[in-house]
Amino acid sequence: MTTGELDRFAAWIEELIRRRGFDIDSPRGGGKSRLADEAGVHRAAITRLLQRQSMPDLETTRRLAQVLQVPVRDMLIRSGRLTEDDLPLPSAPTAGAAGERRLTLEEAADGLGVAAEQREMFIRIAGQFLPGTSAATHEERAPLASD
């Protein structure tokens, strides 16, 4: 891994960390410690990454991805460890092909890494765009947990 790759990855992670509400900029903000605690990793691993000293190991990467609500695939590709060719996305079934099952909105949410707190909204909104259905029709076919 080159220094440039580490810098790009660390800058991307920093932005994610800030967007998720972790205060990593003030000395007493506690953001690094809180992130480490929520991810179940050592604070030193977070510090080393943010200081561009080293890339986290695979388990730390997996745990950070979960806390930062990013697919592990994206983390591995952005880190430079793997490429999109190494981790291809499953091909989506072709709409209307005879005998093929369509992807459900729940499967789409899982595949896209939609955060749990945004899942119901995603399903409601995406359901409005399904061909030949309205939001009301979709809700009748697949009621949500809050219904």
Side-chain angles (χ1 to χ4, degrees):
M1 161 165 297
T2 68
T3 303
E5 289 172 328
L6 179 57
D7 284 341
R8 280 190 298 278
F9 181 68
W12 178 71
I13 287 288
E14 281 180 5
E15 180 59 30
L16 281 175
I17 292 169
R18 287 185 185 102
R19 274 192 277 159
R20 298 295 185 255
F22 295 94
D23 182 5
I24 58 171
D25 297 311
S26 66
R28 299 198 186 262
K32 291 176 196 172
S33 294
R34 188 168 65 96
L35 176 60
D37 288 345
E38 287 186 27
V41 301
H42 292 284
R43 185 181 185 280
I46 307 293
T47 300
R48 285 191 302 270
L49 172 60
L50 296 176
Q51 291 178 350
R52 276 89 167 146
Q53 294 174 348
S54 69
M55 188 66 70
D57 63 33
L58 289 174
E59 182 60 20
T60 299
T61 300
R62 185 188 68 75
R63 290 171 181 236
L64 286 174
Q66 184 176 13
V67 170
L68 297 174
Q69 301 170 358
V70 176
V72 175
R73 178 185 186 274
D74 291 358
M75 293 276 282
L76 293 172
I77 291 170
R78 289 230 184 211
S79 73
R81 287 190 171 131
L82 297 170
T83 67
E84 290 187 37
D85 290 336
D86 295 328
L87 294 171
L89 289 171
S91 45
T94 324
E100 287 191 27
R101 186 180 71 80
R102 287 179 57 165
L103 187 67
T104 68
L105 292 174
E106 292 79 7
E107 290 169 332
D110 288 341
L112 292 169
V114 174
E117 62 271 9
Q118 297 171 331
R119 188 179 184 88
E120 287 188 20
M121 184 184 341
F122 171 85
I123 291 170
R124 286 186 190 278
I125 292 171
Q128 296 175 19
F129 297 99
L130 291 176
T133 64
S134 67
T137 303
H138 177 72
E139 287 176 13
E140 290 171 12
R141 282 191 281 150
L144 300 172
S146 64
D147 292 342

